[in-house]
């Protein structure tokens, strides 16, 4: 079975989407599938990428939530892919993992619904969507083993998804967040903005600048 | 001020808006627009402005002067078209990075005080019922996220159907 893991974050490195796929890959590798990794970080998909994705049995997208939806560069690529894949009439399954900065995993619901709609327009089969809240934390807790501490529920969701991918089966969407208090997440993220601003030579009150 | 964000051909736009537009800023499709890189520079490097200076770097500031935002977009999978979505992605400097609870959910603190009526006109020949549901949910979520009011969401088969309705 050929599985394509597609990172839809525009970040070259250090993306939460990359961490998510890395964690998922560790579960899929156990199943002995052939896994290809792709990074759609710019608008547009190359002819080689289109061909490779067209030959996969499962497409697994991981992307960040942007303004409640799919990031525009990825959307652009999906429109292009729809036009190519619809001609192939393959029985490809599609799975998607959307992660967001806000705490609640369900804030990804519309983006996942759009992926499902893309899937039916491209003539592919929808497998499952996972909406992940507090995604901003994932790169910072990369060393925490999957299924433990703040990654407890995230780990369970990935286990279920990996099993569904391996069986080419469809399932209900799942929504998870970090096993970590919301208030602490908020305070840590806000302290992070101040630290980053200071590293850029700004004062904390500059974060509130109006133009 | 009113802002119109659209993805129409120039001729179609002129057909819909034949009279002069007062106090209106029009954001039209432009192939030179770059996409958001997810760097958050608009919050932590040059707060309130995008670090990409391609002519779409001051969207947050422009939105702070609006009382109405009118969007005309092809409906893609229940959401906006790539160009219109790019404009929204490039606009997050409009909000402050810190968080606030709204409706029991995490959202952003406001950077500016204005609030706007968001009116969205989706068009497309293949919009399904399911996509209409997604689009309504999306616009409501956008309004909640930006601190605006989702005043109108409508769907048309083609651009001609919009004539006389988007004034
Ligand atoms: C342009 C832009 C828009 C965003 N919009 C949202 C949003 O609507 N809701 C949310 O919870 N997070 C939003 N985020 C935060 C990202 O989803 C979050 O930082 C995510 O973890 C990034 O994933 P990545 O590292 O895989 O790119 C936005 C980020 C950017 C840059």
């Amino acid at each position: 079975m050929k599985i394509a893991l597609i990172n839809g974050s525009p970040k070259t490195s250090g993306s939460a989407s990359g961490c998510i796929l890395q964690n998922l890959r560790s579960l899929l590798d156990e199943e002995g599938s052939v896994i290809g990794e792709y990074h759609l970080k710019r608008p547009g998909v190359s002819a080689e990428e289109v061909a490779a994705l067209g030959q996969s049995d499962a497409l697994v997208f991981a992307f960040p939530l942007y303004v409640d939806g799919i990031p525009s560069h990825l959307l652009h690529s999906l429109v292009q892919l729809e036009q190519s894949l619809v001609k192939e009439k393959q029985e490809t399954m599609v799975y998607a993992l959307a992660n967001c900065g806000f705490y609640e995993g369900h804030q990804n619901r519309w983006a996942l619904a759009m992926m499902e709609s893309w899937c039916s327009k491209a003539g592919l089969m929808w497998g499952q969507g996972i909406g992940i809240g507090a995604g901003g934390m994932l790169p910072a807790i990369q060393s925490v083993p999957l299924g433990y501490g703040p990654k407890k529920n995230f780990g369970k969701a990935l286990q279920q998804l990996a099993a569904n991918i391996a069986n080419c089966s469809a399932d209900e969407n799942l929504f998870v967040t970090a096993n970590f208090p919301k208030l602490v997440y908020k305070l840590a993220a806000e302290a992070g903005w101040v630290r980053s601003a200071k590293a850029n030579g700004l004062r904390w009150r500059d974060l509130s600048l109006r133009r | 001020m009113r802002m119109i964000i659209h993805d129409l051909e120039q001729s179609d736009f002129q057909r819909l808006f034949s009279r002069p537009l007062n106090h209106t800023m029009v954001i039209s499709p432009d192939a030179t627009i770059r996409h958001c890189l997810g760097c958050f520079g608009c919050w932590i490097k040059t707060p309130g402005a995008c670090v990409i200076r391609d002519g779409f770097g001051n969207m947050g500031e422009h939105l702070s002067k609006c009382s109405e935002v009118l969007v005309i977009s092809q409906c893609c999978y229940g959401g906006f078209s790539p160009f219109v979505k790019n404009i929204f992605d490039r606009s997050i400097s409009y909000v402050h990075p810190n968080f606030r609870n709204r409706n029991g959910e995490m959202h952003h603190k406001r950077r500016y005080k204005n609030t706007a009526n968001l009116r969205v006109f989706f068009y497309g020949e293949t919009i399904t019922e399911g996509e209409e549901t997604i689009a309504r949910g999306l616009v409501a979520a956008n309004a909640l996220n930006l601190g605006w009011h989702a005043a109108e969401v409508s769907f048309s088969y083609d651009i001609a159907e919009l004539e006389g309705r988007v004034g």
Side-chain angles (χ1 to χ4, degrees), chain A residues 41 66-68 70 72 75 82 102 104 106-107 114 117 121 182 190 200 206-211, chain B residues 35 38 43-44 47 77 80 85-86 89 96 98-99 101 105-106 108 111-112 126 131 142 145:
Chain A
K41 55 176 184 272
Y66 275 13
V67 201
D68 303 299
I70 299 167
S72 78
L75 184 60
E82 177 203 331
F102 295 148
E104 301 85 12
H106 74 253
Q107 296 212 30
M114 285 181 240
S117 165
K121 291 229 147 106
K182 183 169 172 179
E190 293 183 352
N200 289 322
D206 292 335
L207 289 175
S208 306
L209 272 178
R210 294 193 182 131
R211 290 179 187 262
Chain B
H35 66 279
W43 287 343
I44 54 156
Y77 319 124
F80 300 112
K85 185 60 180 29
N86 206 348
D89 292 354
H96 190 286
N98 284 357
F99 301 123
N101 260 338
E105 290 177 349
M106 196 180 257
H108 283 294
R111 181 183 302 277
Y112 298 101
T126 61
E131 286 171 337
N142 288 161
N145 229 338

Side-chain angles (χ1 to χ4, degrees), chain B residues 98-147:
Chain B
N98 284 357
F99 301 123
R100 287 288 175 272
N101 260 338
R102 273 185 226 138
N103 291 4
E105 290 177 349
M106 196 180 257
H107 290 283
H108 283 294
K109 181 182 163 182
R110 288 170 170 283
R111 181 183 302 277
Y112 298 101
K113 290 203 174 108
N114 74 309
T115 179
N117 278 334
L118 177 60
R119 299 174 61 210
V120 184
F121 295 85
F122 286 106
Y123 65 87
E125 294 173 8
T126 61
I127 307 175
T128 63
E129 241 174 70
E131 286 171 337
E132 285 194 13
T133 306
I134 298 169
R136 286 184 201 284
L138 173 73
V139 174
N142 288 161
L144 180 62
N145 229 338
L146 297 165

Side-chain angles (χ1 to χ4, degrees), chain A residues 9 11 15-17 64-68 99-102 136, chain B residues 40 89 145:
Chain A
S9 173
K11 294 177 191 164
S15 66
S17 303
L65 187 72
Y66 275 13
V67 201
D68 303 299
N99 92 88
C100 70
F102 295 148
Chain B
F40 293 126
D89 292 354
N145 229 338

Side-chain angles (χ1 to χ4, degrees), chain A residues 130-177:
Chain A
I130 311 283
I132 302 159
M137 256 179 85
L138 288 172
I141 54 171
Q142 207 171 354
S143 58
V144 175
L146 199 57
Y148 290 89
K151 283 164 125 177
K152 191 167 168 229
N153 292 353
F154 170 61
K156 275 193 210 156
L158 283 198
Q159 291 273 5
Q160 194 179 322
L161 177 72
N164 286 327
I165 296 172
N167 297 325
C168 288
S169 50
D171 212 333
E172 295 283 302
N173 288 355
L174 292 176
F175 298 95
V176 293
T177 188

